[in-house]
PDB file of all heavy atoms in Angstrom:
ATOM      1  N   THR M 199      62.975 -19.596   5.853  1.00  0.00           N
ATOM      2  CA  THR M 199      62.519 -20.158   4.579  1.00  0.00           C
ATOM      3  C   THR M 199      61.666 -19.133   3.823  1.00  0.00           C
ATOM      4  O   THR M 199      61.772 -18.980   2.608  1.00  0.00           O
ATOM      5  CB  THR M 199      61.675 -21.438   4.830  1.00  0.00           C
ATOM      6  OG1 THR M 199      62.415 -22.251   5.737  1.00  0.00           O
ATOM      7  CG2 THR M 199      61.387 -22.200   3.574  1.00  0.00           C
ATOM      8  N   PHE M 200      60.828 -18.441   4.565  1.00  0.00           N
ATOM      9  CA  PHE M 200      60.000 -17.393   3.957  1.00  0.00           C
ATOM     10  C   PHE M 200      60.897 -16.269   3.421  1.00  0.00           C
ATOM     11  O   PHE M 200      60.667 -15.750   2.332  1.00  0.00           O
ATOM     12  CB  PHE M 200      59.003 -16.857   5.000  1.00  0.00           C
ATOM     13  CG  PHE M 200      58.024 -15.848   4.484  1.00  0.00           C
ATOM     14  CD1 PHE M 200      57.329 -16.058   3.300  1.00  0.00           C
ATOM     15  CD2 PHE M 200      57.767 -14.670   5.189  1.00  0.00           C
ATOM     16  CE1 PHE M 200      56.399 -15.125   2.824  1.00  0.00           C
ATOM     17  CE2 PHE M 200      56.853 -13.736   4.728  1.00  0.00           C
ATOM     18  CZ  PHE M 200      56.172 -13.957   3.547  1.00  0.00           C
ATOM     19  N   PHE M 201      61.931 -15.936   4.171  1.00  0.00           N
ATOM     20  CA  PHE M 201      62.871 -14.900   3.723  1.00  0.00           C
ATOM     21  C   PHE M 201      63.494 -15.326   2.386  1.00  0.00           C
ATOM     22  O   PHE M 201      63.590 -14.532   1.450  1.00  0.00           O
ATOM     23  CB  PHE M 201      63.957 -14.663   4.780  1.00  0.00           C
ATOM     24  CG  PHE M 201      64.824 -13.464   4.490  1.00  0.00           C
ATOM     25  CD1 PHE M 201      64.481 -12.207   4.948  1.00  0.00           C
ATOM     26  CD2 PHE M 201      65.984 -13.605   3.730  1.00  0.00           C
ATOM     27  CE1 PHE M 201      65.273 -11.091   4.664  1.00  0.00           C
ATOM     28  CE2 PHE M 201      66.781 -12.494   3.437  1.00  0.00           C
ATOM     29  CZ  PHE M 201      66.420 -11.238   3.913  1.00  0.00           C
ATOM     30  N   GLU M 202      63.862 -16.605   2.288  1.00  0.00           N
ATOM     31  CA  GLU M 202      64.449 -17.121   1.032  1.00  0.00           C
ATOM     32  C   GLU M 202      63.439 -17.057  -0.111  1.00  0.00           C
ATOM     33  O   GLU M 202      63.781 -16.712  -1.238  1.00  0.00           O
ATOM     34  CB  GLU M 202      64.929 -18.573   1.219  1.00  0.00           C
ATOM     35  CG  GLU M 202      66.220 -18.649   2.007  1.00  0.00           C
ATOM     36  CD  GLU M 202      66.504 -20.047   2.554  1.00  0.00           C
ATOM     37  OE1 GLU M 202      65.758 -20.999   2.217  1.00  0.00           O
ATOM     38  OE2 GLU M 202      67.454 -20.170   3.341  1.00  0.00           O
ATOM     39  N   PHE M 203      62.182 -17.375   0.197  1.00  0.00           N
ATOM     40  CA  PHE M 203      61.115 -17.292  -0.809  1.00  0.00           C
ATOM     41  C   PHE M 203      61.020 -15.852  -1.330  1.00  0.00           C
ATOM     42  O   PHE M 203      60.896 -15.607  -2.530  1.00  0.00           O
ATOM     43  CB  PHE M 203      59.774 -17.738  -0.194  1.00  0.00           C
ATOM     44  CG  PHE M 203      58.613 -17.614  -1.138  1.00  0.00           C
ATOM     45  CD1 PHE M 203      58.293 -18.651  -2.014  1.00  0.00           C
ATOM     46  CD2 PHE M 203      57.836 -16.456  -1.168  1.00  0.00           C
ATOM     47  CE1 PHE M 203      57.226 -18.532  -2.905  1.00  0.00           C
ATOM     48  CE2 PHE M 203      56.776 -16.326  -2.044  1.00  0.00           C
ATOM     49  CZ  PHE M 203      56.468 -17.367  -2.913  1.00  0.00           C
ATOM     50  N   LEU M 204      61.099 -14.912  -0.407  1.00  0.00           N
ATOM     51  CA  LEU M 204      61.006 -13.502  -0.800  1.00  0.00           C
ATOM     52  C   LEU M 204      62.200 -13.103  -1.662  1.00  0.00           C
ATOM     53  O   LEU M 204      62.058 -12.377  -2.645  1.00  0.00           O
ATOM     54  CB  LEU M 204      60.918 -12.605   0.439  1.00  0.00           C
ATOM     55  CG  LEU M 204      59.675 -12.792   1.314  1.00  0.00           C
ATOM     56  CD1 LEU M 204      59.782 -11.989   2.605  1.00  0.00           C
ATOM     57  CD2 LEU M 204      58.414 -12.394   0.553  1.00  0.00           C
ATOM     58  N   GLU M 205      63.381 -13.606  -1.312  1.00  0.00           N
ATOM     59  CA  GLU M 205      64.571 -13.280  -2.112  1.00  0.00           C
ATOM     60  C   GLU M 205      64.364 -13.723  -3.566  1.00  0.00           C
ATOM     61  O   GLU M 205      64.762 -13.038  -4.492  1.00  0.00           O
ATOM     62  CB  GLU M 205      65.813 -13.971  -1.528  1.00  0.00           C
ATOM     63  CG  GLU M 205      66.276 -13.337  -0.222  1.00  0.00           C
ATOM     64  CD  GLU M 205      67.519 -14.031   0.360  1.00  0.00           C
ATOM     65  OE1 GLU M 205      67.478 -15.265   0.550  1.00  0.00           O
ATOM     66  OE2 GLU M 205      68.505 -13.342   0.635  1.00  0.00           O
ATOM     67  N   LYS M 206      63.706 -14.865  -3.736  1.00  0.00           N
ATOM     68  CA  LYS M 206      63.500 -15.386  -5.089  1.00  0.00           C
ATOM     69  C   LYS M 206      62.310 -14.742  -5.801  1.00  0.00           C
ATOM     70  O   LYS M 206      62.311 -14.605  -7.016  1.00  0.00           O
ATOM     71  CB  LYS M 206      63.267 -16.901  -5.038  1.00  0.00           C
ATOM     72  CG  LYS M 206      64.484 -17.682  -4.615  1.00  0.00           C
ATOM     73  CD  LYS M 206      64.350 -19.159  -4.995  1.00  0.00           C
ATOM     74  CE  LYS M 206      65.458 -19.988  -4.377  1.00  0.00           C
ATOM     75  NZ  LYS M 206      65.177 -20.381  -2.968  1.00  0.00           N
ATOM     76  N   ASN M 207      61.272 -14.399  -5.049  1.00  0.00           N
ATOM     77  CA  ASN M 207      59.991 -14.088  -5.699  1.00  0.00           C
ATOM     78  C   ASN M 207      59.425 -12.690  -5.505  1.00  0.00           C
ATOM     79  O   ASN M 207      58.413 -12.367  -6.133  1.00  0.00           O
ATOM     80  CB  ASN M 207      58.932 -15.087  -5.213  1.00  0.00           C
ATOM     81  CG  ASN M 207      59.277 -16.502  -5.614  1.00  0.00           C
ATOM     82  OD1 ASN M 207      59.252 -16.845  -6.788  1.00  0.00           O
ATOM     83  ND2 ASN M 207      59.638 -17.323  -4.632  1.00  0.00           N
ATOM     84  N   ILE M 208      60.020 -11.880  -4.664  1.00  0.00           N
ATOM     85  CA  ILE M 208      59.316 -10.645  -4.277  1.00  0.00           C
ATOM     86  C   ILE M 208      58.974  -9.745  -5.465  1.00  0.00           C
ATOM     87  O   ILE M 208      57.917  -9.112  -5.483  1.00  0.00           O
ATOM     88  CB  ILE M 208      60.085  -9.874  -3.168  1.00  0.00           C
ATOM     89  CG1 ILE M 208      59.110  -8.974  -2.403  1.00  0.00           C
ATOM     90  CG2 ILE M 208      61.248  -9.040  -3.724  1.00  0.00           C
ATOM     91  CD1 ILE M 208      59.462  -8.725  -0.985  1.00  0.00           C
ATOM     92  N   THR M 209      59.810  -9.715  -6.482  1.00  0.00           N
ATOM     93  CA  THR M 209      59.538  -8.802  -7.605  1.00  0.00           C
ATOM     94  C   THR M 209      58.290  -9.234  -8.399  1.00  0.00           C
ATOM     95  O   THR M 209      57.664  -8.420  -9.067  1.00  0.00           O
ATOM     96  CB  THR M 209      60.748  -8.712  -8.554  1.00  0.00           C
ATOM     97  OG1 THR M 209      61.136 -10.050  -8.871  1.00  0.00           O
ATOM     98  CG2 THR M 209      61.913  -7.971  -7.931  1.00  0.00           C
ATOM     99  N   HIS M 210      57.907 -10.528  -8.301  1.00  0.00           N
ATOM    100  CA  HIS M 210      56.706 -10.998  -9.021  1.00  0.00           C
ATOM    101  C   HIS M 210      55.422 -10.350  -8.510  1.00  0.00           C
ATOM    102  O   HIS M 210      54.409 -10.375  -9.191  1.00  0.00           O
ATOM    103  CB  HIS M 210      56.562 -12.532  -8.906  1.00  0.00           C
ATOM    104  CG  HIS M 210      57.725 -13.280  -9.464  1.00  0.00           C
ATOM    105  ND1 HIS M 210      58.438 -12.824 -10.546  1.00  0.00           N
ATOM    106  CD2 HIS M 210      58.306 -14.445  -9.110  1.00  0.00           C
ATOM    107  CE1 HIS M 210      59.408 -13.665 -10.816  1.00  0.00           C
ATOM    108  NE2 HIS M 210      59.355 -14.661  -9.954  1.00  0.00           N
ATOM    109  N   VAL M 211      55.490  -9.813  -7.289  1.00  0.00           N
ATOM    110  CA  VAL M 211      54.311  -9.159  -6.735  1.00  0.00           C
ATOM    111  C   VAL M 211      53.912  -7.972  -7.616  1.00  0.00           C
ATOM    112  O   VAL M 211      52.734  -7.711  -7.834  1.00  0.00           O
ATOM    113  CB  VAL M 211      54.595  -8.669  -5.290  1.00  0.00           C
ATOM    114  CG1 VAL M 211      53.486  -7.768  -4.768  1.00  0.00           C
ATOM    115  CG2 VAL M 211      54.773  -9.859  -4.359  1.00  0.00           C
ATOM    116  N   PHE M 212      54.909  -7.286  -8.156  1.00  0.00           N
ATOM    117  CA  PHE M 212      54.619  -6.092  -8.954  1.00  0.00           C
ATOM    118  C   PHE M 212      53.965  -6.428 -10.294  1.00  0.00           C
ATOM    119  O   PHE M 212      53.342  -5.579 -10.915  1.00  0.00           O
ATOM    120  CB  PHE M 212      55.878  -5.233  -9.129  1.00  0.00           C
ATOM    121  CG  PHE M 212      56.400  -4.714  -7.818  1.00  0.00           C
ATOM    122  CD1 PHE M 212      57.564  -5.225  -7.250  1.00  0.00           C
ATOM    123  CD2 PHE M 212      55.708  -3.734  -7.128  1.00  0.00           C
ATOM    124  CE1 PHE M 212      58.025  -4.770  -6.027  1.00  0.00           C
ATOM    125  CE2 PHE M 212      56.155  -3.268  -5.902  1.00  0.00           C
ATOM    126  CZ  PHE M 212      57.323  -3.787  -5.349  1.00  0.00           C
TER     127      PHE M 212
END
Side-chain angles (χ1 to χ4, degrees):
T199 312
F200 184 47
F201 189 89
E202 285 163 7
F203 177 87
L204 296 172
E205 288 180 306
K206 292 198 189 83
N207 297 292
I208 203 150
T209 50
H210 300 327
V211 170
F212 297 107

